[in-house]
Amino acid sequence: MKDLLQVKDLNVGFLVGKREVQVLRNVSFSIGEGEILGVIGETGCGKSVTGSAVLRLLPENALVKGEILYKGKEILYMEEENYRELRGKEISAIPQSPGTSLNPMMKVGNQVAECITGKEIRKRESVRTAVNDIFRRLQLPGKDRCYGNYPWELSGGMCQRVLIGMGMITHARLLIVDEPTKAIDWALRKEVADILLRLKQEMGCAMMMITHDIGVASYVADRVAVMYCGEIVEVGKTEDILHHPIHPYTRGLIRAMPANGFEVMEGFMPSFSDLPEGCNFCTRCRYRDTVCSRPQEMEEADAGHWVRCRRWGEIIKSREEQLCS
Amino acid sequence: MRQIRNFFNMLNRKNVILILGILITGCMLLIVIFAPHLEMYDPTKMSLEDKFIPPCREHWFGTDHMGRDILSRVIEGSRVSLTTAVAVVLVSAALGTGIGLVSGFFGGFMDMILMRLVDVLLAFPTIVFALAISTLLGTGQGNLIIAICCVQWVRYARIARGEAILLKNAEYIEAAKAIGCSNLQLLAKYFFPNVISKILIMVSLDIGSIILYCASLSFLGLGAQPPSPDWGVMISDGKNYMQYAPWMTLFPGLAIAVSALGFNMMGDGIRDLLDPRMREAVQSE
Amino acid sequence: MLLEVNHISKEYRSGVIRTRTVHAVQDVCFKMNEGEIFGLIGGSGCGKTTITKMILGLLKPSEGSILFEGRDLTKLRKKEWKEVRRDIQVVFQHPQMTFNPRGTIRFACTEPASNYGLVKTREERNRLAEELMEQVGLTGDQLKKYPHEISGGQAQRLSIIRALSLNPKLLICDEPTSMLDVSVQAQILSLLKSKHREQGLAMLFISHDLEVVQSFCSRVAVMNEGRIVESGTVKDVFSNPQHAYTKKLLRSYMHY
């Protein structure tokens, strides 16, 4: 599979007063054409910052180092004007919280239409049909009726679909989807997930899906990256990560799921300003050892399954022993 | 302690208006406190041979038609004018907040009656209404304070009631009810602290205009009575001699303008400081 | 029987000339035994929160009765309410919003106990505060902080522990984990579960998350548009759903 997006050693820090607080450390991943990468992690682990970095929407006090390649072309340091061409047409975003991301005083159809008209001036009618076409594809109810609705007339799930429509109307090749299921009802979660899947199948667009919802990630994503304290700790095929996790943090996360008996992980996520030495997870880890106080590198434990833990070999061994006994 | 430190941190951020406002009001305060030591002459002592002396080395601000030193009178007048204004604001804010909170908290019939009363009071121009009450009560410092308070409390009541109604639906108020807080506790520990910052902002913004109200009513002869040196009274005295002794009105007028400006600037600054969005922006950096 | 909710309804009327009636809750019945964890499932706007408020006495039902240990809550006088409230405590959805933003954590977490005269002096209050903080794994220096300065998970654990400081018989949990991460959710659920085991605490667990309800509750009722459409043991409802809405909910289950 050809890589559409490559992120190499991305480091992001924020200037707080005169001090720099490092939020992302050596984040590297790639997304292939038509592939969905799920980025999972807890609140404040840096997953949204990663998304903003790709979209170049970080606030001004951010210090960015590293490389982001889109179709092999460097985009992180490219001229703002050239990047603006790319953003929207090639790379697009679906923001979180449908409640606040839509303008309440504007018809939803016009809000979606604005995404095209801003770029190329087309005839009104053709824009309208394009929007209605998108709405139909997203299965928004009522034949062409949603166009004239205001956001508050629609339910949360419908607003979420309108937002998805805004992201895909320009036929972008890469979508950054931020928490698609956060503010909506449990029963609608699957509906939204199905729409994302269909988008991928019909239009072949790749996605970076940022979420804390492991269920959605497992349903939609082809590959999953797990983030903890600004680092990717494990990345690989969805099946591998969620069913055969290696990194102690991922294992803890999976065990904490209600269906697995909500086992509690020891300790809390440290804040970015006081991370432990070496492995960020070492203070909470059951497998900690002396090697854990040194910086950890990503190592390939299995084909395409990378782990940021030096003790992955022993962990696999103990897992197999557990299975045998 | 932390709040005080935060406060000073925020001051560092070039909040020029606030600093200027604090400086001016601080000077005013010092003048009020040390008035007797600053006066070079007795502010009420008349001497007819010294009347209408224009500003000179002995009398910096000149003298008035009775030969009294205007600088001393302006300094002494600060005690009368400023204390009146502060008293008015404090009394009306306390009254208005109390009434507004209770009205918004309990709602119902009493709320309706009170708010219609507020509407009626707000429909009149403040100064006209205060004038009417003050004529009814008679002249004098105390009556002046009562008159302006009668008009002024409604502004605070409005704000406090609005806030109380908003708060009533907050989740933590429901939580407080669930853990067994009585109505009195709710009002004292939950509603009052959450409303007080809004009220404080209004108070600091209002003092400026109250100084002007007091001065205008005194000017019309409804406040402090002639021998006592109120700024409004002084302007009123001076207006007859405007043509050949303009300093008689100029200096008390300037005093009113500067103090109103100082309080307004401080109020603006405090508002910017306490505005939650502004404060978060400062703290998150 | 600890709690009996009998045919309660709540309607809201709006408008003066053309009145429009909205039925928030219609004819809801359910019963809870002592020491039971009862789940109430439903999407947003189905009337779950209205039921909570009616049980807590913050809203008066238009019809029906709520019996708590045999006493009809809808007919209680104000003084009697204060006694009953002690036995029915609640944990809300938004952890940070359940605390007075102008009060410190020390004030917030000891407030219930001091309202009921369990702690009187300042020293007793401080001691209780530290005790409670220890129970949820927070350090003493957090006591000086304000609610917005602690994390959502910490706030939620505190609001649970402060509700439990009154030793209630029933704890109403209104979506206690829907705003929290998986690992924090696990902390909250295991805290609740251990209290359930130790003190025989009964819980009315309101949630839209089937996964949590399935692993946490013993009996459930499914609500849709203000009515209970199905109820039974977790096993029955989840393995053999009868009502169309329950089936639809179960279809949106995403296994991983």
Side-chain angles (χ1 to χ4, degrees):
Chain A
M1 207 185 294
K2 229 178 85 198
D3 281 342
L4 187 68
L5 181 83
Q6 271 179 295
V7 174
K8 288 181 188 163
D9 288 326
L10 181 69
N11 282 276
V12 175
F14 289 103
L15 216 51
V16 181
K18 285 187 180 103
R19 254 181 50 237
E20 187 193 339
V21 175
Q22 182 105 19
V23 173
L24 293 186
R25 284 152 201 266
N26 300 332
V27 169
S28 305
F29 61 88
S30 62
I31 299 177
E33 293 264 9
E35 184 188 47
I36 300 183
L37 175 77
V39 179
I40 60 178
E42 290 174 68
T43 312
C45 72
K47 54 191 195 307
S48 292
V49 174
T50 315
S52 307
V54 174
L55 288 164
R56 287 191 30 183
L57 292 174
L58 288 171
E60 281 194 0
N61 62 337
L63 306 166
V64 189
K65 274 186 287 240
E67 267 186 287
I68 299 179
L69 306 175
Y70 176 77
K71 287 185 175 165
K73 230 169 49 194
E74 168 61 50
I75 58 168
L76 194 53
Y77 305 105
M78 132 198 257
E79 288 288 314
E80 183 58 38
E81 258 168 65
N82 298 338
Y83 185 75
R84 219 175 292 145
E85 283 278 289
L86 218 59
R87 181 166 58 207
K89 225 185 220 165
E90 296 272 333
I91 306 175
S92 184
I94 299 174
Q96 59 173 312
S97 63
T100 50
S101 295
L102 288 168
N103 178 353
M105 299 304 287
M106 200 171 158
K107 289 175 180 167
V108 291
N110 289 338
Q111 294 192 48
V112 177
E114 214 180 31
C115 298
I116 340 176
T117 40
K119 301 216 161 53
E120 43 200 279
I121 295 121
R122 277 204 256 163
K123 278 206 186 110
R124 252 228 193 113
E125 274 312 300
S126 67
V127 169
R128 206 187 162 102
T129 35
V131 172
N132 279 327
D133 186 48
I134 290 280
F135 280 177
R136 211 167 305 132
R137 248 193 237 195
L138 295 171
Q139 296 181 325
L140 276 165
K143 205 177 160 217
D144 299 353
R145 217 185 51 206
C146 265
Y147 193 96
N149 280 91
Y150 289 95
W152 41 267
E153 294 175 309
L154 304 177
S155 69
M158 282 154 87
C159 284
Q160 181 71 58
R161 270 179 275 178
V162 170
L163 284 179
I164 295 176
M166 287 168 83
M168 54 177 273
I169 189 132
T170 51
H171 296 274
R173 303 305 305 150
L174 175 67
L175 276 175
I176 313 284
V177 191
D178 199 353
E179 299 278 12
T181 56
K182 195 169 190 180
I184 59 172
D185 241 30
W186 208 81
L188 289 169
R189 234 164 40 124
K190 184 143 177 203
E191 234 170 87
V192 171
D194 279 330
I195 285 169
L196 291 178
L197 268 183
R198 215 173 39 246
L199 268 186
K200 178 193 136 183
Q201 278 153 13
E202 284 176 15
M203 305 174 70
C205 60
M207 287 180 214
M208 173 176 164
M209 187 177 69
I210 296 160
T211 183
H212 69 280
D213 188 331
I214 295 173
V216 171
S218 100
Y219 188 75
V220 177
D222 300 307
R223 283 194 309 133
V224 168
V226 183
M227 282 190 85
Y228 180 74
C229 288
E231 283 180 337
I232 290 184
V233 292
E234 191 163 4
V235 60
K237 288 198 203 78
T238 306
E239 160 77 16
D240 288 345
I241 300 283
L242 298 180
H243 293 273
H244 312 286
I246 296 173
H247 197 281
Y249 174 68
T250 320
R251 290 164 67 101
L253 213 54
I254 303 283
R255 285 222 185 103
M257 299 282 290
N260 298 337
F262 44 86
E263 193 180 301
V264 180
M265 253 191 276
E266 195 189 312
F268 306 97
M269 195 164 100
S271 73
F272 282 115
S273 49
D274 97 281
L275 292 177
E277 197 118 323
C279 173
N280 289 334
F281 192 65
C282 69
T283 49
R284 306 171 64 182
C285 184
R286 286 199 293 176
Y287 299 93
R288 75 180 145 246
D289 198 357
T290 44
V291 291
C292 296
S293 54
R294 272 181 274 148
Q296 310 281 310
E297 296 296 327
M298 281 299 242
E299 288 171 36
E300 192 164 21
D302 200 355
H305 188 159
W306 294 75
V307 188
R308 192 184 289 276
C309 178
R310 287 178 194 262
R311 290 174 56 77
W312 60 268
E314 284 128 279
I315 292 170
I316 291 179
K317 214 190 273 166
S318 78
R319 190 175 67 189
E320 274 158 8
E321 276 163 19
Q322 264 173 16
L323 281 178
C324 290
S325 63
Chain B
M1 248 343 265
R2 210 165 77 223
Q3 277 155 342
I4 297 172
R5 210 173 55 227
N6 275 347
F7 184 77
F8 280 104
N9 281 344
M10 280 184 271
L11 279 192
N12 290 338
R13 310 191 69 82
K14 289 179 192 149
N15 203 337
V16 185
I17 299 261
L18 179 61
I19 292 174
L20 263 178
I22 288 177
L23 274 180
I24 295 175
T25 46
C27 289
M28 292 283 165
L29 191 72
L30 288 178
I31 291 174
V32 168
I33 293 170
F34 296 108
H37 305 282
L38 296 171
E39 290 153 10
M40 293 184 287
Y41 302 89
D42 179 354
T44 51
K45 196 185 152 225
M46 292 180 257
S47 86
L48 287 179
E49 57 257 44
D50 291 334
K51 66 181 181 183
F52 298 129
I53 300 176
C56 60
R57 194 173 292 169
E58 281 83 45
H59 300 280
W60 291 1
F61 285 5
T63 61
D64 67 0
H65 60 297
M66 307 270 200
R68 294 171 295 197
D69 178 48
I70 291 186
L71 177 60
S72 306
R73 283 177 68 74
V74 166
I75 291 173
E76 186 66 21
S78 71
R79 292 194 139 179
V80 185
S81 300
L82 293 182
T83 44
T84 313
V86 170
V88 165
V89 168
L90 290 185
V91 172
S92 52
L95 198 71
T97 313
I99 292 176
L101 277 185
V102 170
S103 170
F105 180 71
F106 291 106
F109 187 67
M110 191 183 62
D111 178 46
M112 214 178 78
I113 298 288
L114 275 170
M115 283 307 119
R116 291 301 79 76
L117 178 68
V118 166
D119 284 342
V120 169
L121 287 178
L122 280 176
F124 286 103
T126 318
I127 194 80
V128 174
F129 202 70
L131 202 64
I133 295 174
S134 168
T135 348
L136 214 72
L137 293 171
T139 55
Q141 199 74 27
N143 287 343
L144 177 76
I145 294 177
I146 296 174
I148 303 183
C149 281
C150 281
V151 192
Q152 201 63 23
W153 69 271
V154 291
R155 289 166 49 83
Y156 303 104
R158 257 276 145 96
I159 299 280
R161 176 180 173 267
E163 286 292 303
I165 286 174
L166 273 183
L167 278 177
K168 225 160 69 167
N169 296 320
E171 209 164 86
Y172 61 87
I173 297 298
E174 269 167 15
K177 284 183 190 161
I179 57 169
C181 288
S182 63
N183 285 341
L184 197 68
Q185 277 174 315
L186 277 178
L187 277 173
K189 287 189 196 158
Y190 285 76
F191 282 77
F192 184 69
N194 281 296
V195 169
I196 195 68
S197 67
K198 278 250 163 75
I199 296 290
L200 272 180
I201 292 167
M202 262 189 81
V203 162
S204 54
L205 283 171
D206 274 358
I207 285 191
S209 53
I210 298 292
I211 291 175
L212 294 178
Y213 286 150
C214 293
S216 4
L217 287 180
S218 305
F219 174 80
L220 295 170
L222 290 164
Q225 288 310 295
S228 97
D230 181 88
W231 293 341
V233 175
M234 288 169 73
I235 295 180
S236 167
D237 285 344
K239 71 175 188 294
N240 296 329
Y241 313 101
M242 195 92 103
Q243 249 125 55
Y244 50 90
W247 56 89
M248 271 181 75
T249 43
L250 178 68
F251 291 108
L254 268 180
I256 292 173
V258 169
S259 53
L261 188 73
F263 278 112
N264 274 339
M265 280 159 94
M266 190 171 74
D268 267 351
I270 290 180
R271 191 205 37 215
D272 291 349
L273 211 62
L274 291 184
D275 192 308
R277 275 161 299 173
M278 181 90 179
R279 189 165 56 179
E280 259 157 42
V282 172
Q283 273 177 352
S284 67
E285 274 171 38
Chain C
M1 202 60 63
L2 184 71
L3 182 76
E4 256 180 89
V5 173
N6 293 323
H7 305 281
I8 54 166
S9 303
K10 178 76 194 174
E11 50 201 43
Y12 294 101
R13 286 215 175 80
S14 59
V16 182
I17 300 162
R18 261 211 236 143
T19 44
R20 245 184 54 191
T21 320
V22 180
H23 297 277
V25 171
Q26 272 180 303
D27 199 28
V28 165
C29 299
F30 62 87
K31 286 179 184 155
M32 275 181 69
N33 291 320
E34 265 140 49
E36 182 184 33
I37 304 184
F38 186 80
L40 200 56
I41 304 173
S44 56
C46 76
K48 296 173 297 184
T49 308
T50 312
I51 290 183
T52 327
K53 285 186 183 172
M54 287 193 284
I55 298 174
L56 287 168
L58 302 174
L59 273 179
K60 262 212 168 341
S62 319
E63 268 168 64
S65 63
I66 301 168
L67 299 182
F68 181 75
E69 297 187 307
R71 288 164 105 181
D72 190 348
L73 296 184
T74 54
K75 296 196 179 74
L76 285 187
R77 264 170 294 149
K78 222 176 150 190
K79 270 219 181 103
E80 297 169 302
W81 252 121
K82 187 158 182 184
E83 278 315 299
V84 173
R85 279 237 167 90
R86 209 178 142 168
D87 291 333
I88 308 178
Q89 284 297 309
V90 64
V91 175
F92 287 104
Q93 179 177 13
H94 304 280
Q96 267 121 334
M97 274 150 69
T98 45
F99 296 116
N100 183 0
R102 305 271 163 178
T104 57
I105 297 298
R106 183 195 305 276
F107 165 77
C109 68
T110 54
E111 206 184 2
S114 82
N115 279 344
Y116 283 96
L118 301 180
V119 286
K120 290 197 180 74
T121 60
R122 177 171 267 242
E123 274 155 41
E124 278 179 334
R125 227 181 145 147
N126 285 347
R127 204 172 323 127
L128 177 74
E130 269 156 39
E131 219 172 86
L132 293 181
M133 296 295 268
E134 208 172 290
Q135 279 189 48
V136 290
L138 292 172
T139 49
D141 56 302
Q142 310 262 35
L143 281 172
K144 281 185 230 130
K145 292 191 172 172
Y146 285 87
H148 65 268
E149 294 173 312
I150 61 175
S151 75
Q154 290 174 332
Q156 193 63 300
R157 273 178 292 151
L158 265 183
S159 76
I160 291 173
I161 213 76
R162 87 163 179 174
L164 294 181
S165 70
L166 290 177
N167 262 324
K169 293 181 179 131
L170 171 66
L171 184 68
I172 302 176
C173 305
D174 190 353
E175 307 250 14
T177 61
S178 68
M179 308 300 286
L180 305 171
D181 282 314
V182 185
S183 67
V184 182
Q185 171 173 285
Q187 291 168 351
I188 300 289
L189 291 180
S190 65
L191 174 69
L192 287 174
K193 198 104 199 183
S194 71
K195 293 294 167 190
H196 167 71
R197 238 180 273 126
E198 288 162 19
Q199 306 173 358
L201 177 70
M203 273 181 254
L204 176 60
F205 195 89
I206 298 171
S207 178
H208 63 243
D209 192 329
L210 294 191
E211 221 176 307
V212 174
V213 170
Q214 188 181 16
S215 57
F216 196 69
C217 304
S218 52
R219 283 195 310 134
V220 285
V222 182
M223 271 191 86
N224 186 27
E225 290 170 0
R227 292 170 188 277
I228 287 187
V229 295
E230 189 164 355
S231 64
T233 60
V234 165
K235 222 172 135 200
D236 288 346
V237 173
F238 279 77
S239 59
N240 187 18
Q242 297 299 314
H243 194 272
Y245 182 72
T246 320
K247 285 180 187 163
K248 188 187 155 207
L249 273 182
L250 281 169
R251 268 203 305 277
S252 58
Y253 215 116
M254 277 183 281
H255 295 278
Y256 64 91

